[in-house]
Amino acid sequence: MRAIRGLWRWRRNPLCRATDLAEAWVALAALMLILLAAPVAGSLVGGAAQDALQRSVRAQHEARHLVTATVVRKLDGSPLDADPETSTGRDLRNRVLADWTAPDGTAHHGPVLASLKDPQQGDAFRIWTDRHGRMVARPLDSATASTHAVLAGLGAALAAGGLVEGGRRLIVWRMVRRRYARWDQAWDNAGPDWGRTGTGS
């Protein structure tokens, strides 16, 4: 809004100073940069993030496999949640001792988190493993990757706009300081007797 108000200084006015016109030009330049450079920066960063994240999605889907595990027995302890900050009733998991076969054919046995409400011996559930049967996190999905890329692009656009506005404010601040310094110098040149009766006579 300040940039738009700065454009008003271009109106014809005999009291308009050169610094007012300079501030208006700075405001116009900042406005044009925000309208043009910020979206370009956001688009470039978002596109780069999308490419990198989609490559990561493909790599994770190639390296991680969904296998079926079988409950041997439920382990002691209360139900656990993988992420307490995002817990919901359906996200609760129970610790169980389970058997599973890796994609390379090797058998595995160990404690895992099962997304079963009341796990019983012989219940089957799905887990993510690497090629050798070691448990891994669920791979990133394409929609989540796209969301992260959009957020990265939006953040870059906002950061670019903030930098331009910060630059504009810094330039105007320096101009105002220079103007005040000139005023102080003019007052000093006028001397301590300025305005007194009989000065200069």
Side-chain angles (χ1 to χ4, degrees):
M1 292 306 263
R2 287 185 184 214
I4 293 172
R5 272 188 275 144
L7 300 178
W8 180 248
R9 293 191 171 119
W10 274 333
R11 70 192 187 283
R12 290 191 179 273
N13 185 340
L15 299 177
C16 184
R17 298 166 297 198
T19 55
D20 293 331
L21 191 58
E23 283 182 35
W25 278 108
V26 169
L28 178 63
L31 180 64
M32 296 310 291
L33 279 173
I34 288 172
L35 292 177
L36 299 174
V40 169
S43 176
L44 291 174
V45 170
Q50 174 76 346
D51 291 344
L53 287 169
Q54 291 302 333
R55 278 195 304 273
S56 179
V57 166
R58 286 191 294 275
Q60 287 182 13
H61 278 276
E62 288 172 8
R64 300 176 188 187
H65 306 277
L66 196 57
V67 299
T68 301
T70 306
V71 176
V72 174
R73 67 180 168 88
K74 183 176 179 180
L75 296 175
D76 292 334
S78 59
L80 300 173
D81 182 33
D83 186 357
E85 292 182 2
T86 60
S87 64
T88 62
R90 62 190 174 93
D91 288 337
L92 289 178
R93 297 173 179 234
N94 290 288
R95 285 189 71 226
V96 298
L97 194 62
D99 293 325
W100 68 92
T101 303
D104 65 1
T106 57
H108 292 268
H109 179 81
V112 296
L113 291 174
S115 54
L116 301 168
K117 283 188 181 179
D118 184 27
Q120 301 295 326
Q121 183 177 2
D123 287 350
F125 61 98
R126 308 279 271 169
I127 60 172
W128 287 95
T129 70
D130 64 10
R131 181 166 77 81
H132 302 293
R134 291 184 294 264
M135 292 200 53
V136 294
R138 172 200 278 289
L140 184 68
D141 63 88
S142 184
T144 303
S146 295
T147 301
H148 288 310
V150 168
L151 291 174
L154 182 61
L158 290 174
L163 282 173
V164 169
E165 176 60 13
R168 184 196 70 81
R169 286 174 182 251
L170 179 63
I171 291 169
V172 170
W173 176 76
R174 289 183 62 99
M175 291 170 69
V176 168
R177 283 191 51 135
R178 200 174 301 134
R179 183 186 309 151
Y180 288 159
R182 282 197 303 261
W183 284 353
D184 288 342
Q185 187 180 14
W187 277 108
D188 289 342
N189 291 340
D193 294 331
W194 183 84
R196 290 187 183 174
T197 307
T199 301
S201 58

